[in-house]
Amino acid sequence: MNEKVMMKGNEAIAEAAILAGCRHYFGYPITPQTEVAAYMAKKMPKIGGTFLQAESEIAAINMVYGVASTGKPAMTSSSSPGISLKCEGISYLAGADLPALIVNVQRGGPGLGGIQPSQSDYFLATRGPGHGDFHVFVFAPASVQEMADLTGRALHVAWKYRMPSMLLADGTMGQMMEPVVLPEAADAFGSDNPWAAVGTGMKRPHNVINSLYLAPEELERINFERFKRYELAEAEETLWEEYMMEDAEICVVSYGITARVSRNAIVEARSRGIKVGMIRPITLWPFPKAPLAAAAEKVKSFLCVELNMGQMIEDVELAIRCSRPVDLCCRVGGMIPAPDEVLAHIMKLAEGEKA
Amino acid sequence: MEHKRLTLFAGHYGSGKTNIAINYARALRAAGNEVILADLDIVNPYFRTKDAEDTLKGEGIGLIVSDYANSNVDLPSMPKEAYSLVERRDVMGVLDIGGDDRGALALGRYVPSILSENDYEMLFVLNRARPLTRTVDDALEVLREIESACSLPFTAIVNNTNLGPATTPEDVLASLPFAQELSERTGLPVKMTCAEKKTAAALAGKVKDLFPLSILTLYYMEKEGTSLGKTNL
């Protein structure tokens, strides 16, 4: 096992991507994710990789498309406003069935918003970021260790399913420092992709990387086939963590930084005799519908804690078919709730149940 | 520990400069000095000296910080009051410089004045647990990059090897030969070794020039024993 090192979340993403075999990074600076690019700029030239600061976010995502077409692992990173710009490129990647890693270290919005942490791109990430009918994997790390671990996993599943993966972090996760045990270096994948456009060697027909299908029958067939892969991904790749759920009567649902705040609140509520637990989605797409549906059989109510005006709450209500009340505890604009705010909300729910 | 009128903390991004600068300013103040702490970090928009503003002001320590630090405005501007600290020679000044060569660039404009007064210490903060300063060669590269960016040579090294709250006394002890080797390679003395108060207590008598730190804590971090579950990926 590797020795522990002290890293910023953004650095952990960069190093983990390199260790997973990624040698192509294209980006454009934006707070609070700039350290990803800064780290890549320092490290890539030393290991024979490519770091390129593109002229814009749009250029960067299309450079990713280019490298991905050759089957090689490629990534870009940005923060919320920059991700909006990348959406066209992400749709093209999805339409061409190309894998890629897109990192979004979210900040408050809409528009230019602010530079403090946010989770307000939940809808954007989980509903297919761009035009057309598609999904991307969405991973929500809640520690610097997970920033590293989920980066590797996001790259891995992207290539396994030929889908873009998004690492959906927030400004706090990007900026905070924690000890990390970095993963072992993996063999670079992407050297043996039968679909890659790397030359035929005059031995096979051309591979064509394209998202344009003018015959509606063909485009429909390709969409159907793609969604078969999504079904498989939903069955195989959903990740979540359950915390103190065994006897819980209230289920907190939260991811990323707010899951950590909630954890403090849950420990405090438990010490006051309130039976509360948490389901923490680690993949936001695929969303952990099954454990939530199972929890709805046992708990009396749900509480979503998120840094937006209520986005994941819709997926929770869908997952449990609105069979239980679902409440929202939120802060926005770069604000993070204190554990006491979450605790107060849990207490209110607990009292409501007694009444 | 000896003090010069100006003490500057520079080093690798995330090496712990801000926490040390805050603690150093408080130590100078506790010794009866008039102290001003200047936050010249134009790189990092989060986790700034401003987080400790109330504590510092309560102890009578002046704080010079960009109007935009910790605000929602991403404007890396230098606080205008920083000139007064460099020019005014009747106070002790502690300067927290931004990380790496990019952060140190901002210091350049004050260097002629600092050099002409010649009553300063320029300290290289080192954390061996940081991934880009794991070897003496790497640390030396960062050190030289900073010197060339700000044109102010370092005068000593501050060993701040830590893994945050997970730091053990052994981690600190294991870093001593590393700091010593950097010291020999550069000819710069190791001014002090920093450790969080509890860790420092366990190291008393074992480490020369130990400097105990009080760490700014963040409320959203877990209390002891409630850390995030292990997820089997």
Side-chain angles (χ1 to χ4, degrees):
Chain A
M1 203 164 81
N2 282 318
E3 238 185 310
K4 263 185 196 165
V5 288
M6 188 74 169
M7 295 188 98
K8 284 206 161 218
N10 285 336
E11 296 171 330
I13 291 171
E15 185 61 43
I18 289 170
L19 288 169
C22 182
R23 291 292 180 277
H24 294 88
Y25 172 91
F26 308 99
Y28 188 83
I30 181 171
T31 304
Q33 67 76 51
T34 301
E35 294 81 7
V36 182
Y39 195 95
M40 290 300 195
K42 265 201 168 10
K43 193 113 191 219
M44 280 297 199
K46 293 182 182 170
I47 56 169
T50 300
F51 163 83
L52 202 153
Q53 181 172 323
E55 69 270 34
S56 73
E57 288 87 348
I58 298 170
I61 190 72
N62 286 302
M63 290 172 186
V64 170
Y65 184 107
V67 172
S69 300
T70 71
K72 298 259 185 289
M75 70 177 286
T76 184
S77 65
S78 191
S79 178
S80 308
I83 298 294
S84 287
L85 287 167
K86 290 184 194 294
C87 282
E88 180 193 57
I90 298 171
S91 170
Y92 278 53
L93 283 160
D97 294 314
L98 286 175
L101 173 61
I102 299 115
V103 173
N104 181 3
V105 183
Q106 298 167 92
R107 55 190 254 181
L112 278 173
I115 61 168
Q116 298 295 330
S118 162
Q119 297 172 334
S120 53
D121 300 345
Y122 180 95
F123 279 157
L124 177 140
T126 57
R127 269 62 183 166
H131 61 279
D133 227 351
F134 73 99
H135 289 294
V136 300
F137 283 108
V138 184
F139 292 90
S143 66
V144 176
Q145 183 66 55
E146 283 192 354
M147 291 286 253
D149 295 343
L150 294 176
T151 294
R153 189 171 180 95
L155 277 161
H156 177 77
V157 296
W159 262 258
K160 184 172 168 190
Y161 292 86
R162 290 180 65 182
M163 287 171 62
S165 270
M166 182 177 286
L167 191 81
L168 190 69
D170 62 73
T172 323
M173 281 297 138
Q175 295 293 327
M176 66 195 248
M177 288 179 79
E178 285 183 318
V180 183
V181 178
L182 289 167
E184 298 294 335
D187 288 338
F189 46 93
S191 53
D192 185 29
N193 295 299
W195 48 265
V198 287
T200 63
M202 307 300 273
K203 286 175 188 145
R204 59 162 174 80
H206 292 284
N207 284 335
V208 178
I209 309 284
N210 181 34
S211 68
L212 177 67
Y213 298 95
L214 291 174
E217 298 83 356
E218 192 186 10
L219 184 53
E220 183 186 52
R221 177 180 59 77
I222 283 166
N223 270 281
F224 283 161
E225 283 172 9
R226 187 173 297 129
F227 271 71
K228 285 279 176 214
R229 259 185 301 131
Y230 292 165
E231 270 176 37
L232 192 64
E234 288 199 77
E236 300 285 330
E237 306 298 343
T238 311
L239 293 174
W240 72 95
E241 183 205 358
E242 297 193 13
Y243 179 64
M244 292 193 175
M245 280 301 293
E246 297 77 22
D247 60 345
E249 293 174 358
I250 299 169
C251 174
V252 173
V253 190
S254 191
Y255 55 94
I257 184 63
T258 46
R260 296 183 66 158
V261 176
S262 300
R263 215 172 172 93
N264 282 334
I266 289 166
V267 170
E268 183 57 35
R270 282 271 172 182
S271 75
R272 298 181 190 194
I274 297 167
K275 289 182 176 169
V276 54
M278 174 163 64
I279 293 179
R280 173 172 74 93
I282 297 171
T283 51
L284 301 179
W285 194 95
F287 193 68
K289 295 173 193 167
L292 284 162
E297 303 284 323
K298 297 190 293 182
V299 305
K300 292 171 182 158
S301 62
F302 289 82
L303 176 64
C304 290
V305 185
E306 42 184 342
L307 302 182
N308 55 53
M309 293 303 290
Q311 298 189 16
M312 179 190 63
I313 191 171
E314 294 191 2
D315 280 342
V316 174
E317 286 173 334
L318 274 171
I320 67 165
R321 298 287 181 244
C322 294
S323 60
R324 292 283 179 276
V326 185
D327 237 15
L328 175 68
C329 173
C330 73
R331 295 296 298 268
V332 297
M335 301 301 291
I336 301 176
D340 285 350
E341 288 179 66
V342 180
L343 177 65
H345 217 117
I346 292 171
M347 302 287 286
K348 203 178 79 188
L349 284 177
E351 276 156 25
E353 271 154 21
K354 267 181 235 153
Chain B
M1 212 171 291
E2 291 210 358
H3 309 295
K4 299 283 188 184
R5 191 184 78 78
L6 293 176
T7 308
L8 299 93
F9 292 96
H12 179 45
Y13 192 64
S15 55
K17 298 173 293 297
T18 299
N19 259 313
I20 298 172
I22 290 168
N23 278 272
Y24 200 81
R26 293 178 72 188
L28 288 177
R29 180 65 186 148
N33 299 292
E34 192 184 341
V35 183
I36 292 177
L37 171 61
D39 179 343
L40 301 189
D41 189 343
I42 56 160
V43 177
N44 187 0
Y46 288 40
F47 308 133
R48 303 280 300 253
T49 49
K50 202 169 168 64
D51 297 329
E53 192 170 19
D54 293 345
T55 307
L56 294 168
K57 290 207 167 142
E59 293 177 6
I61 297 165
L63 178 63
I64 295 175
V65 61
S66 160
D67 294 339
Y68 303 107
N70 280 18
S71 76
N72 237 342
V73 183
D74 193 6
L75 205 64
S77 69
M78 298 292 279
K80 57 187 181 301
E81 297 84 357
Y83 280 109
S84 70
L85 175 60
V86 176
E87 299 295 337
R88 204 183 131 184
R89 299 188 174 178
D90 57 339
V91 291
M92 303 287 276
V94 178
L95 288 85
D96 177 18
I97 313 299
D100 288 344
D101 47 340
R102 296 185 307 277
L105 202 59
L107 182 62
R109 65 169 76 173
Y110 310 105
V111 166
S113 180
I114 293 170
L115 283 173
S116 76
E117 183 190 5
N118 196 23
D119 190 6
Y120 71 94
E121 275 191 293
M122 170 75 166
L123 303 175
F124 180 70
V125 179
L126 173 72
N127 179 1
R128 208 224 145 200
R130 294 282 289 139
L132 294 183
T133 51
R134 300 278 292 159
T135 68
V136 174
D137 282 337
D138 286 345
L140 197 58
E141 189 183 327
V142 172
L143 187 148
R144 297 295 178 223
E145 281 171 359
I146 293 171
E147 285 183 332
S148 91
C150 68
S151 318
L152 191 64
F154 283 104
T155 60
I157 295 162
V158 171
N159 180 11
N160 185 45
T161 296
N162 77 87
L163 288 162
T167 314
T168 63
E170 290 70 33
D171 293 329
V172 179
L173 290 172
S175 73
L176 299 178
F178 178 78
Q180 193 52 41
E181 196 189 331
L182 184 67
S183 167
E184 282 159 20
R185 294 268 299 272
T186 54
L188 301 172
V190 178
K191 181 184 168 74
M192 58 195 196
T193 298
C194 303
E196 185 276 329
K197 275 189 293 188
K198 270 192 208 158
T199 315
L203 289 167
K206 293 178 192 164
V207 178
K208 218 175 80 177
D209 301 320
L210 194 60
F211 186 65
L213 299 176
S214 301
I215 309 291
L216 279 174
T217 49
L218 299 165
Y219 66 82
Y220 47 79
M221 304 305 285
E222 289 79 9
K223 296 185 184 86
E224 231 166 294
T226 63
S227 66
L228 211 62
K230 284 268 177 292
T231 309
N232 194 5
L233 299 175

